[in-house]
Amino acid sequence: MQSSSAVPQLVDPFGRAISYVRVSVTDRCDFRCVYCMSEDMSFLPKKDLLTLEELDRLIGAFTTLGTRRVRLTGGEPLVRRNVMSLIASLGERIKADQLDEVTLTTNGSQLARFAEDLYANGVRRINVSVDTLDPDKFKAVTRWGDLGKVLDGIDAALAAGLKVKLNAVALRDVNEHEFNDLIRFAHGRGMDLTLIETMPLGDIDGDRTDQYLPLSTVRQRLSRDWTMDEIDYRTGGPARYVRVAETGGRLGFITPMTHNFCESCNRVRVTCTGTLYMCLGQDDAADLRKALRASEGDAPVIAAIREAISRKPKGHDFIIDRGVTAPAVKRHMSVTGG
Ligand code: SAM
Ligand code: SF4
């Protein structure tokens, strides 16, 4: 069933149709990536979280308003207890044609355990974050991660039939000389690779200016070794893709800093407490948990979503510069979800 034509669909003040929701199912994580979190994080009390049933109901309300794609993220979505029951419910929504797809962004640590269940419950594409293929560097970047486990997880995902895209955050002095290896690794296994610029979200231990590596620089360097042909391929996200002629694989660039892509933004983000952020890079938000719990019917939550979308801002104003010490927004990426 397509979303009911009787219910007007979500269009923001800038004429952008909102059809994509990213849901952070937990702010917790079994890694502490240096660009994402500080080592000593305090997390939300469990009592503040929406239950998995409430998350499913909330996503149902979004589908009534025309949402066709959902990406589960976090924190690490696969560390939320019993998350597969939510994924199974969303799989039923795909079968009922309320959704086109459910995808997942994961650090891969639990994938070996969950890959087959993901496929069985209707997930077909996942993003796995791998910034480096050097085990020591991987440990240094993630603080707590084990590269071997993540690579096993990727193998399990591919064996289960999932389409896997690798995401790597471009980090000065960390992985900046590894992109050729990452391209060979990903494309050699039939996976797309997307490079991402660091965004100034939340306090981390350290200075983001030291980490930040503009992808304009990376692309220039890559062009010495690879033939990159612009292609029209889109996955509904902000990445712009090229085809690497030598490998035949796709390489994406997500450039919130050097090339703002807000004009085509089709998405909003919901946290595990039911807070709706209309923009990753702005503070304005709406409390959907209150609306959800106000009634067994969905009318209040649908009204709250509509009201919030009428406030969706034009875009973010990220700056990473020596003179700017505070992050653009205080919350970490793990709260709003990547
Ligand atoms: N834990 C999962 C993972 O790492 O894939 C999902 C959540 S994580 C917040 C989603 C994505 O955001 C990851 O690819 C991660 O590398 C990226 N990320 C985290 N903090 C970031 C930041 N400050 N700037 C840019 N990307 C960031
Ligand atoms: Fe965890 Fe993902 Fe953030 Fe790394 S990027 S700390 S894996 S939420």
Side-chain angles (χ1 to χ4, degrees):
M1 183 189 69
Q2 291 282 338
S3 48
S4 161
S5 52
V7 182
Q9 308 293 281
L10 285 177
V11 178
D12 81 357
F14 302 94
R16 298 170 296 192
I18 307 304
S19 57
Y20 185 2
V21 178
R22 294 197 175 190
V23 182
S24 173
V25 298
T26 175
D27 63 333
R28 291 169 195 248
C29 187
D30 51 349
F31 290 4
R32 291 286 182 280
C33 301
V34 291
Y35 49 80
C36 180
M37 294 189 179
S38 58
E39 184 149 26
D40 182 23
M41 292 285 291
S42 39
F43 294 110
L44 292 162
K46 294 214 169 103
K47 67 173 176 43
D48 287 356
L49 266 54
L50 292 188
T51 63
L52 294 170
E53 292 73 20
E54 285 174 323
L55 279 171
D56 180 55
R57 206 184 125 207
L58 186 53
I59 292 169
F62 273 100
T63 67
T64 307
L65 291 167
T67 288
R68 299 295 301 174
R69 315 156 81 107
V70 172
R71 176 173 292 278
L72 300 183
T73 174
E76 174 46 41
L78 294 180
V79 303
R80 170 106 192 225
R81 189 199 296 239
N82 209 15
V83 70
M84 206 51 69
S85 69
L86 171 64
I87 297 174
S89 308
L90 298 178
E92 291 303 318
R93 293 189 185 277
I94 298 176
K95 281 189 200 150
D97 197 23
Q98 292 170 15
L99 282 172
D100 291 333
E101 69 168 356
V102 175
T103 56
L104 183 85
T105 302
T106 174
N107 65 22
S109 67
Q110 314 292 318
L111 253 186
R113 202 148 57 96
F114 287 122
E116 287 185 2
D117 287 347
L118 287 171
Y119 192 90
N121 286 312
V123 176
R124 292 294 176 264
R125 295 195 300 134
I126 61 170
N127 290 352
V128 184
S129 306
V130 181
D131 301 322
T132 167
L133 295 170
D134 174 318
D136 295 330
K137 272 191 195 169
F138 189 84
K139 174 68 85 191
V141 172
T142 60
R143 292 197 185 98
W144 297 359
D146 174 350
L147 179 65
K149 266 197 196 157
V150 173
L151 297 183
D152 288 348
I154 291 172
D155 286 344
L158 292 171
L162 293 166
K163 223 169 145 229
V164 179
K165 176 165 82 75
L166 295 192
N167 279 344
V169 174
L171 298 165
R172 183 177 295 286
D173 294 333
V174 177
N175 60 4
E176 67 176 309
H177 300 297
E178 256 197 84
F179 300 131
N180 284 349
D181 292 341
L182 279 164
I183 289 173
R184 282 188 207 99
F185 174 80
H187 293 179
R189 285 162 183 73
M191 302 185 284
D192 293 348
L193 170 69
T194 297
L195 305 179
I196 306 173
E197 285 174 341
T198 49
M199 290 172 262
L201 301 173
D203 278 321
I204 52 169
D205 309 318
D207 185 346
R208 283 187 196 279
T209 345
D210 297 335
Q211 303 177 339
Y212 174 57
L213 179 61
L215 286 183
S216 44
T217 308
V218 174
R219 199 167 162 160
Q220 213 170 18
R221 289 186 199 159
L222 288 175
S223 65
R224 290 184 215 139
D225 296 313
W226 308 98
T227 315
M228 296 184 287
D229 301 318
E230 301 273 350
I231 51 175
D232 247 354
Y233 177 74
R234 300 297 288 272
T235 60
R240 298 290 175 274
Y241 285 89
V242 296
R243 167 119 22 227
V244 177
E246 290 79 0
T247 62
R250 279 186 293 248
L251 175 64
F253 297 91
I254 299 186
T255 54
M257 308 305 297
T258 55
H259 181 259
N260 178 314
F261 39 67
C262 301
E263 72 280 359
S264 59
C265 184
N266 60 351
R267 80 209 59 162
V268 290
R269 296 159 198 267
V270 178
T271 72
C272 56
T273 57
T275 305
L276 173 66
Y277 284 101
M278 288 72 86
C279 174
L280 177 65
Q282 301 284 355
D283 283 322
D284 193 20
D287 177 6
L288 299 184
R289 181 177 58 185
K290 202 163 150 212
L292 199 63
R293 291 179 178 171
S295 149
E296 279 183 15
D298 286 342
V301 75
I302 285 177
I305 294 170
R306 280 198 181 292
E307 191 281 325
I309 298 301
S310 76
R311 290 186 275 128
K312 184 167 161 66
K314 195 167 181 192
H316 63 71
D317 3 75
F318 292 147
I319 302 171
I320 295 183
D321 206 345
R322 290 268 166 223
V324 181
T325 47
V329 292
K330 282 214 162 50
R331 62 185 189 279
H332 292 88
M333 184 85 159
S334 50
V335 172
T336 336

